[in-house]
């Protein structure tokens, strides 16, 4: 008996609970099972139809593996001795990346993955390159699933923005205001302005006093240098004192592995390929992007975002809001160029320059982010 191919959006199995629910129908034909431990499901696998199924990094007993292969399934076994799972079906959490932090950051999965990347990135090993690509593609798939119905606003800004500064506090207030307005905040997932915006999103369900107290606590470890351990532990202390914060997204990269991910993003898509990460972050910000004061990296992000808006390659242009008139017209005069580039095109009505973070939510709504 043949079984119809499951629809693409419903054919991924990413947990044992999903597996048990779907296999109870008697067939896994055409499904993709991602990183689910099936060592205790041998009898089920021996009886289920697994024709055209794909098993990605799923531990299983040899008899089960032989049987599903005989059915016509593809089996990609787990890769031993890797500090990450290339087939993972879900995004990371801060708890997962910073596991073992009490023993020092160097022993955490995040640091170990960066060490592996440093060892393999230039050795020309096609296997290592393939593993990185599979991992990043799996994360992109999980990110699309997470953000399917969200209105995403990106907040871009420099990693050097220190805790305890007014700029950091302003970025946190911005993240809080955007979250309270119903947007999903997405950042580059690192320290500085990125952490501040994720912190603000986390603080959205709490009182305004909570954010002020959290900012004071974090200021005791103002930077991830010289100690990532102390910097991260301060963030986890905030989370322990004020649990159940709102969710947001961080999209960091091991390409800049010296910059750790921040602990305030509920969902973390950490990539090996920085180009994939940067383009993917901007492409998913369908409700607009806010650019806080930054340097070369932020300038690059402005024009990475402006280019598809200019050509319309992603459809209708999305709002772009630059914050701090003096910075973007004097210190780094990006705004005049952006305005000239936009003149006479559809994106002209979707760009704005404001003086403060307090003006951003209204600017986004005015430019069409709330449509």
């Amino acid at each position: 008996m043949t079984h119809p191919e499951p629809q693409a959006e419903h054919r991924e199995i990413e947990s044992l609970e999903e597996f048990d629910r779907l296999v109870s129908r008697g067939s896994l034909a055409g499904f993709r099972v991602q990183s689910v431990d099936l060592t205790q499901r041998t009898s089920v696998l021996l009886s289920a139809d697994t024709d055209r199924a794909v098993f990605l990094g799923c531990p299983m007993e040899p008899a089960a593996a032989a049987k599903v292969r005989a059915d016509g399934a593809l089996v990609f076994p787990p890769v031993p001795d890797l500090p990450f799972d290339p087939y993972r079906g879900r995004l990371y959490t801060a708890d997962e990346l910073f596991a073992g932090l009490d023993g020092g950051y160097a022993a955490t999965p995040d640091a170990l993955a960066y060490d592996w990347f440093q060892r393999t990135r230039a050795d020309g090993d096609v296997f290592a390159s393939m593993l990185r690509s599979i991992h990043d593609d799996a994360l992109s798939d999980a990110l699309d699933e997470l953000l399917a119905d969200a209105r995403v606003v990106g907040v871009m800004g420099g990693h050097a923005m220190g805790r305890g500064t007014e700029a950091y506090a302003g970025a946190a207030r911005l993240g809080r205001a955007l979250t309270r307005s119903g947007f999903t905040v997405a950042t580059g997932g690192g320290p500085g302005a990125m952490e501040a915006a994720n912190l603000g999103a986390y603080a959205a369900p709490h009182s305004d006093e909570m954010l002020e107290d959290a900012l004071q606590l974090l200021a005791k470890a103002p930077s991830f240098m010289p100690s990532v351990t102390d910097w991260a532990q301060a963030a986890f202390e905030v989370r322990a004192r004020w649990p159940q914060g709102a969710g947001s997204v961080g999209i960091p990269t091991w390409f800049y592995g010296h910059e750790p991910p921040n602990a305030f993003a509920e969902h973390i898509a950490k990539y090996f390929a920085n180009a994939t990460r940067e383009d993917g972050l901007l492409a998913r910000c369908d409700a607009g992007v806010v650019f806080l004061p930054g340097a070369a990296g932020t300038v690059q992000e402005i024009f990475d975002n402006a280019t598809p808006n200019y050509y319309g390659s992603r459809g209708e242009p999305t709002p772009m809001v630059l914050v701090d008139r003096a910075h973007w017209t004097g210190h780094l005069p990006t705004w005049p160029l952006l305005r000239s580039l936009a003149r006479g095109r559809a994106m002209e009505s979707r760009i704005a320059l404001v003086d403060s973070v307090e003006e951003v939510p209204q600017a986004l709504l005015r430019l069409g982010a709330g449509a």
Side-chain angles (χ1 to χ4, degrees):
M1 178 180 179
T2 61
H3 296 273
E5 188 81 10
Q7 294 184 5
E9 64 270 27
H10 301 303
R11 66 184 179 183
E12 294 174 6
I13 299 174
E14 298 165 348
S15 70
L16 196 57
E17 292 75 20
E18 285 181 289
F19 177 87
D20 288 341
R21 176 170 53 83
L22 290 166
V23 80
S24 66
R25 303 175 186 176
S27 176
L28 293 171
F31 281 91
R32 284 80 171 97
V33 190
Q34 286 180 258
S35 194
V36 178
D37 188 343
L38 300 176
T39 52
Q40 301 301 314
R41 296 297 186 273
T42 300
S43 61
V44 172
L45 289 169
L46 291 175
S47 61
D49 178 8
T50 56
D51 179 39
R52 295 168 288 114
V54 180
F55 295 87
L56 300 165
C58 299
M60 62 180 76
E61 295 295 335
K67 183 268 179 185
V68 300
R69 285 193 178 99
D71 274 357
L74 287 176
V75 178
F76 294 78
V79 182
D81 303 321
L82 275 183
F84 63 95
D85 178 3
Y87 306 115
R88 60 181 301 119
R90 301 183 185 279
L91 300 180
Y92 292 101
T93 66
D95 290 326
E96 182 179 3
L97 289 173
F98 285 106
L101 182 65
D102 289 345
Y105 172 69
T108 65
D110 185 62
L112 294 174
Y114 178 54
D115 289 344
W116 178 89
F117 180 46
Q118 290 290 88
R119 293 195 308 273
T120 62
R121 62 189 295 186
D123 64 7
D125 182 358
V126 67
F127 183 57
S129 177
M130 181 191 73
L131 292 173
R132 293 194 295 268
S133 296
I134 292 172
H135 170 273
D136 287 1
D137 194 62
L139 283 193
S140 291
D141 180 66
L143 194 56
D144 286 338
E145 292 172 2
L146 174 73
L147 299 177
D149 299 314
R151 292 191 302 158
V152 183
V153 172
V155 179
M156 310 296 152
H159 70 272
M161 183 184 290
R163 294 169 172 175
T165 64
E166 178 50 38
Y168 184 97
R173 292 194 298 270
L174 171 61
R176 183 179 64 186
L178 291 171
T179 303
R180 288 177 174 177
S181 297
F183 297 110
T184 295
V185 169
T187 78
M194 298 171 278
E195 180 189 53
N198 289 128
L199 164 65
Y202 182 89
H206 295 281
S207 68
D208 291 354
E209 290 75 18
M210 170 268 172
L211 181 57
E212 298 307 313
D213 291 344
L215 289 169
Q216 290 184 23
L217 192 157
L218 291 170
K220 297 175 182 178
S223 173
F224 63 94
M225 296 181 291
S227 173
V228 175
T229 303
D230 293 345
W231 175 84
Q233 284 179 331
F236 281 105
E237 184 178 346
V238 168
R239 286 181 38 184
R241 188 173 299 185
W242 295 281
Q244 299 179 325
S248 64
V249 177
I251 307 181
T253 174
W254 279 295
F255 185 82
Y256 298 128
H258 62 286
E259 296 179 17
N262 77 72
F264 293 110
E266 180 179 4
H267 309 282
I268 301 175
K270 189 154 190 178
Y271 286 84
F272 289 107
N274 186 51
T276 304
R277 165 250 190 176
E278 286 192 345
D279 185 68
L281 170 57
L282 293 169
R284 289 174 174 87
C285 295
D286 57 351
V289 183
V290 181
F291 298 92
L292 299 173
T298 310
V299 171
Q300 177 182 341
E301 288 164 344
I302 289 173
F303 291 103
D304 280 347
N305 195 53
T307 299
N309 281 347
Y310 179 89
Y311 288 111
S313 56
R314 293 180 184 144
E316 286 293 314
T318 52
M320 299 176 64
V321 181
L322 279 62
V323 181
D324 192 331
R325 191 176 304 272
H327 184 83
W328 294 120
T329 62
H331 181 60
L332 291 175
T334 304
W335 172 253
L337 177 56
L338 179 64
R339 187 172 56 181
S340 297
L341 190 69
R343 189 171 295 124
R345 305 190 74 89
M347 68 179 288
E348 185 173 16
S349 63
R350 299 295 182 94
I351 63 173
L353 175 67
V354 299
D355 290 309
S356 67
V357 295
E358 284 73 22
E359 301 172 72
V360 169
Q362 278 302 115
L364 285 170
L365 292 171
R366 185 175 71 251
L367 298 177

